[in-house]
């Protein structure tokens, strides 16, 4: 097992103020509230009309494709999705916190000796392509998100046509196990590969999961239950969001929460940096203990 500290981020309302789809609605002059109201009505509609159960976390993808087919999102394709990454409204301190934390341990010779380093991952129910177009990708190891397949019209123009891959608030936990095993790491592995704990790339105890609310309870539970750290964000001045994260803290889902400002010196930045250093100190002690044990073994047996 490598000495990697994995900082794992949700995206919407955790890194950006709102939803990643907001720039799409703005360009196509779509009322976002109307769109999401339509999406939220679909589970009940399909159950009532067809007795079909749908996934409320990912049914929005079908609605996006419906808008594409009807010409409302005319010309929407993966290249355009990636372009919307540059239009995201990040909270203060993004992407600086990514750079700060990535470099936090690099000046420590003991961390260098034991190969203790920080990696960032994004796990989102949103569009992976939008995330890949953002400035934070300079510091992100791997992205989990929803993927859409393209077709070409008669003139050769690409457009989104099918759902390729989905991730919902429950399957985010699968991404955590993939990080644990090394998916997205230096060597290709399969999440179903049989591995010993020593072969796994990222110890759950070295994971920090950061998100904004109750929808991430499954992921919070896995990380916290396996010895990692959990942190929640709420928008400044939003009393309802504050109550949500306070309830998560009271219920033992998260270790800490703060206003959504990652600027240097703010609570979010200080807590995340401190937790990384805390993890690094623990790893150092464990590595030094291993070395001490080896020093007591006769050299011909080492």
């Amino acid at each position: 097992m490598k000495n990697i500290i994995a900082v794992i981020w949700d995206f919407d309302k955790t890194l950006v103020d709102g939803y990643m789809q907001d720039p799409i609605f703005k360009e196509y002059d779509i009322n976002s509230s109307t769109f999401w109201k339509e999406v939220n009505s679909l589970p009940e509609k399909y159950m009532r009309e067809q007795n079909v159960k749908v996934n409320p976390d990912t049914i929005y993808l079908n609605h996006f494709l419906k808008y594409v087919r009807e010409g409302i999102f005319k010309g929407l394709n993966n290249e355009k999705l990636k372009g919307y990454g540059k239009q995201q409204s990040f909270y203060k301190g993004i992407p600086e916190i990514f750079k700060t934390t990535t470099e936090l341990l690099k000046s420590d010779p003991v961390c260098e000796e034991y190969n203790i380093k920080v990696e960032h991952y994004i796990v989102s129910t949103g569009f992976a392509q939008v995330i890949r177009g953002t400035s934070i990708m300079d510091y992100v190891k791997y992205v989990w998100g929803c993927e859409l397949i393209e077709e070409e019209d008669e003139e050769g123009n690409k457009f989104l046509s099918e759902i390729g891959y989905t991730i919902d608030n429950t399957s985010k936990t699968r991404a955590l196990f993939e990080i644990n095993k090394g998916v997205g790491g230096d060597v290709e592995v399969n999440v179903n590969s049989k591995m010993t704990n020593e072969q796994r790339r990222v110890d759950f105890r070295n994971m920090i999961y950061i998100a904004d609310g109750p929808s991430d309870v499954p992921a919070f539970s896995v990380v916290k239950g396996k010895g990692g750290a959990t942190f929640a964000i709420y928008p400044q001045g939003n009393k309802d969001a504050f109550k949500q994260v306070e309830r998560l803290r009271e219920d033992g889902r998260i270790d800490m929460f703060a206003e959504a400002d990652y600027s240097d010196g703010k609570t979010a930045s200080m807590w995340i940096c401190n937790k990384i250093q805390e993890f690094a100190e623990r790893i150092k002690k464990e590595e030094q203990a291993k070395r001490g044990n080896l020093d007591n073994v006769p050299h011909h047996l080492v």
Side-chain angles (χ1 to χ4, degrees):
M1 184 176 286
K2 298 186 179 180
N3 291 327
I4 293 165
I5 298 169
V7 186
I8 305 161
W9 305 79
D10 176 38
F11 193 83
D12 292 331
K13 295 186 175 182
T14 298
L15 293 173
V16 297
D17 185 10
Y19 294 97
M20 66 169 68
Q21 295 86 5
D22 290 343
I24 304 175
F25 297 139
K26 183 177 181 181
E27 179 172 333
Y28 286 96
D29 195 24
I30 298 298
N31 185 298
S32 61
S33 296
T34 300
F35 179 89
W36 292 120
K37 191 176 294 184
E38 291 171 355
V39 168
N40 292 333
S41 72
L42 293 177
E44 192 275 332
K45 167 184 165 64
Y46 289 128
M47 179 58 70
R48 183 183 69 252
E49 296 179 357
Q50 303 182 35
N51 198 32
V52 172
K53 185 177 181 179
V54 301
N55 187 330
D57 294 340
T58 55
I59 190 63
Y60 82 92
L61 298 170
N62 298 70
H63 211 50
F64 254 87
L65 294 180
K66 181 174 183 284
Y67 270 44
V68 174
R69 288 194 302 272
E70 294 178 351
I72 300 172
F73 287 152
K74 185 175 177 60
L76 188 62
N77 54 34
N78 280 320
E79 183 179 358
K80 288 200 72 173
L81 286 181
K82 194 170 184 179
Y84 292 119
K86 295 179 174 60
Q87 301 177 40
Q88 295 301 302
S89 178
F90 283 114
Y91 287 123
K92 291 179 181 178
I94 304 292
E96 291 82 4
I97 185 68
F98 281 78
K99 184 176 188 294
T100 298
T101 50
T102 299
E103 297 177 351
L104 189 61
L105 306 177
K106 289 184 177 179
S107 61
D108 186 330
V110 180
C111 286
E112 183 178 358
E113 178 183 358
Y114 294 125
N115 195 32
I116 305 171
K117 61 182 180 179
V118 176
E119 291 180 352
H120 291 276
Y121 297 86
I122 309 293
V123 181
S124 171
T125 60
F127 296 125
Q129 281 296 98
V130 172
I131 298 169
R132 293 186 185 116
T134 65
S135 57
I136 63 176
M137 284 306 297
D138 289 340
Y139 309 101
V140 173
K141 186 76 174 177
Y142 199 77
V143 172
W144 280 262
C146 297
E147 310 268 11
L148 296 173
I149 298 168
E150 298 175 329
E151 287 184 20
E152 290 187 0
D153 61 22
E154 295 177 351
E155 298 175 352
N157 299 309
K158 294 180 178 180
F159 63 95
L160 300 174
S161 61
E162 297 179 69
I163 297 171
Y165 179 85
T166 63
I167 186 163
D168 60 30
N169 289 316
T170 301
S171 60
K172 280 184 174 185
T173 60
R174 176 185 171 93
L176 299 176
F177 283 96
E178 291 184 340
I179 293 170
N180 170 244
K181 286 194 170 184
V183 174
D186 305 321
V187 180
E188 281 300 314
V189 296
N190 187 291
V191 70
N192 295 317
S193 301
K194 187 175 181 180
M195 290 182 175
T196 64
N197 282 336
E198 290 72 24
Q199 291 173 317
R200 294 170 186 251
R201 190 168 183 273
V202 182
D203 193 328
F204 276 100
R205 297 183 305 151
N206 298 340
M207 291 185 184
I208 302 171
Y209 188 81
I210 304 169
D212 68 288
S215 62
D216 280 278
V217 163
F220 281 141
S221 298
V222 169
V223 173
K224 191 167 175 58
K226 290 184 175 292
T230 51
F231 186 75
I233 283 293
Y234 71 95
Q236 183 177 6
N238 188 320
K239 293 181 180 179
D240 290 336
F242 173 85
K243 289 177 182 178
Q244 283 188 339
V245 295
E246 169 62 9
R247 176 61 60 85
L248 289 173
R249 186 194 63 79
E250 290 175 346
D251 292 344
R253 305 292 191 179
I254 58 173
D255 296 305
M256 181 70 171
F257 65 82
E259 289 184 349
D261 184 343
Y262 299 96
S263 302
D264 186 40
K266 295 293 186 178
T267 300
S269 174
M270 289 193 295
W271 188 90
I272 294 167
C273 290
N274 181 69
K275 187 58 64 174
I276 289 171
Q277 290 170 323
E278 181 183 307
F279 282 3
E281 289 303 314
R282 169 177 48 76
I283 296 169
K284 285 182 195 177
K285 290 177 182 177
E286 292 171 349
E287 290 291 349
Q288 288 163 351
K290 290 178 190 175
R291 176 168 294 185
N293 290 336
L294 284 175
D295 288 342
N296 294 325
V297 176
H299 290 297
H300 71 282
L301 295 179
V302 177

